[in-house]
Amino acid sequence: QQQVKQSPQSLIVQKGGISIINCAYENTAFDYFPWYQQFPGKGPALLIAIRPDVSEKKEGRFTISFNKSAKQFSLHIMDSQPGDSATYFCAASKNQAGTALIFGKGTTLSVSS
Amino acid sequence: GAVVSQHPSRVICKSGTSVKIECRSLDFQATTMFWYRQFPKQSLMLMATSNEGSKATYEQGVEKDKFLINHASLTLSTLTVTSAHPEDSSFYICSAADSGGAYEQYFGPGTRLTVT
């Protein structure tokens, strides 16, 4: 019940295309869903996060779509750029202080120019 | 804002020695910090949760006597790998949760530990 399942494992997208990464969770107590971007040899950087009171959140080219009934959420990267090539992790946690994040296994995105 | 630093960024040590890694929240206070371990091309594995002024909570399978965690202030947590062995070689990353009300976690840049 603590798992967060992420797919696909890897993704190749052409420059200008839309990258879509999906995650699913089981624990209905989760109510905070962030996405992190990680470049090789660096720590993860918080990209965007959503709480279940909204179905979508957009920040620039990045959008989270959230489906509470299906217990799924996804990251959409519009107009993908070579600089977006990185590993993306979805995560989930209970919305209370001191709660650890449960991470998906990650998606390696390659944007070809 | 929301910057977390780690020191050192890279360390090489001999088998049997101890190594200390520092994690600092630079512009916010963090009641809780987390320590993760990451193997190449894998996800982050939570090792322990560190609360300021109290003992750390370790995840199942993580040896608390080998990975000593101290959270002495609201901006500093340390991880000491004792009697390091080559299998402890990994990328260690800390994160800090902002005590100011939001629950976002911010990650440090990581420490690459190599045990020879």
Side-chain angles (χ1 to χ4, degrees):
Chain A
Q1 249 210 338
Q2 285 291 91
Q3 280 189 326
V4 176
K5 295 182 180 179
Q6 184 172 347
S7 63
Q9 186 174 350
S10 62
L11 182 60
I12 299 174
V13 172
Q14 286 205 330
K15 180 181 176 182
I18 302 173
S19 304
I20 302 174
I21 305 171
N22 301 298
C23 282
Y25 63 98
E26 298 172 354
N27 190 341
T28 55
F30 288 155
D31 55 7
Y32 173 64
F33 304 92
W35 284 89
Y36 286 85
Q37 179 189 57
Q38 185 180 30
F39 293 103
K42 306 293 184 183
L46 179 62
L47 202 56
I48 186 172
I50 197 168
R51 293 195 165 88
D53 52 342
V54 296
S55 60
E56 186 175 282
K57 183 175 181 180
K58 183 176 180 179
E59 289 183 3
R61 295 186 294 111
F62 302 93
T63 300
I64 299 180
S65 297
F66 184 79
N67 186 328
K68 187 174 182 178
S69 61
K71 291 185 285 185
Q72 295 175 348
F73 58 109
S74 60
L75 175 69
H76 295 232
I77 305 174
M78 311 299 288
D79 188 26
S80 299
Q81 299 296 313
D84 297 329
S85 298
T87 300
Y88 293 82
F89 293 97
C90 64
S93 74
K94 298 175 188 177
N95 189 24
Q96 55 190 80
T99 303
L101 292 168
I102 307 298
F103 281 90
K105 290 188 181 294
T107 296
T108 301
L109 171 65
S110 295
V111 180
S112 60
S113 53
Chain B
V3 178
V4 176
S5 70
Q6 273 185 249
H7 178 79
S9 57
R10 290 177 176 270
V11 58
I12 301 172
C13 71
K14 291 185 183 296
S15 186
T17 62
S18 296
V19 172
K20 180 185 284 188
I21 302 170
E22 291 186 348
C23 176
R24 293 181 185 273
S25 56
L26 298 185
D27 51 2
F28 64 98
Q29 293 187 326
T31 304
T32 305
M33 290 184 174
F34 304 89
W35 287 95
Y36 294 84
R37 186 172 180 176
Q38 187 177 36
F39 291 106
K41 299 190 185 301
Q42 292 191 23
S43 189
L44 290 83
M45 183 187 79
L46 179 67
M47 298 175 66
T49 301
S50 164
N51 289 295
E52 187 263 340
S54 63
K55 290 185 178 180
T57 302
Y58 291 82
E59 294 299 299
Q60 193 170 11
V62 177
E63 299 175 59
K64 63 180 181 180
D65 294 330
K66 180 170 186 60
F67 298 99
L68 300 179
I69 292 172
N70 183 275
H71 193 158
S73 76
L74 286 173
T75 59
L76 173 65
S77 176
T78 60
L79 167 69
T80 301
V81 183
T82 63
S83 186
H85 290 284
E87 57 265 31
D88 298 326
S89 299
S90 189
F91 193 51
Y92 293 87
I93 315 173
C94 70
S95 73
D98 192 332
S99 304
Y103 300 120
E104 285 80 6
Q105 288 187 29
Y106 300 95
F107 283 80
T111 296
R112 173 71 61 193
L113 170 63
T114 303
V115 184
T116 61

